Amino acid sequence: MSKTVAKAVLVLDTLAEGPRTASELARGLGVHSSTAMRMLQPLVESGLLARGSDGRYRLGLRLAELGQQVLEGIDLRSVARPHLVALAEATRATVHLSQLVDDRIVYVDKIEGAATIRTWSRIGRSVPLHTSAAAKVILAALSPEHRRRLLAGHTFTRYTEHTITDPSRLDDCIAEAARRGYATDEAEFEPLVHCIGIGIPDINGRVGAAVSLTTVRGALDAAEVRRLVPHVRNTASAIAADLGHQSH
């Protein structure tokens, strides 16, 4: 750990005990007051610290937000895992759990199916916003402003002949996902790889996560979609119920 990072951690640990002035923090760090001020400013700008009207520093709300996201991520994965395993065993397909973390949608769990072909996805990797079924259903649940922020500057890279490269076409797919309650990826990122994604509401009814089922085949026809969607929907509902969401 670098000295700068170590001192920043010491500042956070110190302020966890109560507010301090810059001079008090400088003495604790063993640095000059001007050096402490230079260290504190970026922490304040990022929301990790806040400076009160009395001139004292305290922990910022951004830390609470990050801590809550960590807790939610841990709870989501541990709650979801048995349901993901059951879905993978019932369908012999690969199952993913994706979650909105800050301004990224990432894979937070993956259960490999019986198919011998391994897919590109990895836990911790960002979900491609314009190709993923999970990303589409999460985007569909966000406010227009939040959705625009996530897609601002997004590069619509073409991966296959089926990749959506037109932002307006993605808007149509997101609207369709909102109407029917699920989204698909029809070989848009990897050839032969088709996915069905359904959102998972939390205890407050917000959808910031999704379960998706991945099959590897030449095509995913309408009959197969009708057969598989209930499996994915039941899994998403079971996870949501365990998270405390009450359906109406």
Side-chain angles (χ1 to χ4, degrees):
M1 183 184 299
S2 71
K3 291 182 178 179
T4 300
V5 173
K7 288 180 177 179
V9 171
L10 180 57
V11 167
L12 297 176
D13 285 341
T14 301
L15 293 181
E17 300 172 358
R20 299 284 192 281
T21 65
S23 297
E24 290 171 335
L25 289 169
R27 286 195 295 271
L29 294 171
V31 299
H32 193 273
S33 292
S34 60
T35 301
M37 290 297 295
R38 286 196 298 272
M39 179 183 300
L40 293 170
Q41 190 57 36
L43 296 175
V44 171
E45 292 174 352
S46 65
L48 297 176
L49 299 183
R51 187 171 185 266
S53 58
D54 59 358
R56 297 197 299 172
Y57 292 85
R58 58 176 173 78
L59 298 180
L61 291 177
R62 182 63 178 147
L63 281 174
E65 294 173 0
L66 292 173
Q68 184 62 31
Q69 288 175 351
V70 170
L71 291 174
E72 289 175 354
I74 292 172
D75 289 344
L76 173 64
R77 187 177 180 187
S78 61
V79 166
R81 176 157 268 265
H83 300 291
L84 303 179
V85 171
L87 178 60
E89 291 177 347
T91 60
R92 298 177 59 80
T94 295
V95 175
H96 294 91
L97 179 68
S98 304
Q99 186 176 20
L100 176 63
V101 180
D102 293 328
D103 280 342
R104 294 194 308 149
I105 298 174
V106 299
Y107 295 109
V108 294
D109 207 351
K110 177 180 182 179
I111 310 298
E112 294 282 3
T116 56
I117 299 176
R118 291 294 176 257
T119 57
W120 168 91
S121 57
R122 295 291 184 274
I123 295 173
R125 203 174 251 181
S126 292
V127 177
L129 297 181
H130 64 298
T131 65
S132 162
K136 290 170 190 170
V137 291
I138 292 175
L139 289 170
L142 300 179
S143 68
E145 295 78 13
H146 196 173
R147 185 161 57 245
R148 281 194 292 269
R149 186 168 75 245
L150 261 65
L151 291 171
H154 179 70
T155 302
F156 284 73
T157 303
R158 179 178 291 281
Y159 298 104
T160 74
E161 61 179 321
H162 302 292
T163 301
I164 297 171
T165 57
D166 181 358
S168 63
R169 171 62 182 138
L170 179 61
D171 288 341
D172 292 341
C173 289
I174 291 171
E176 185 177 18
R179 286 194 303 271
R180 66 189 183 183
Y182 69 90
T184 59
D185 163 8
E186 300 179 9
E188 296 165 35
F189 186 78
E190 295 179 274
L192 307 179
V193 176
H194 301 262
C195 302
I196 297 168
I198 291 181
I200 303 170
D202 63 17
I203 192 171
N204 298 309
R206 293 189 296 263
V207 175
V211 57
S212 57
L213 183 146
T214 299
T215 61
V216 180
R217 61 199 65 202
L220 189 67
D221 60 27
E224 187 166 23
V225 170
R226 288 194 297 271
R227 180 179 69 82
L228 292 174
V229 163
H231 289 282
V232 187
R233 180 172 287 123
N234 290 341
T235 298
S237 297
I239 296 170
D242 283 356
L243 291 173
H245 175 71
Q246 295 182 350
S247 57
H248 300 289

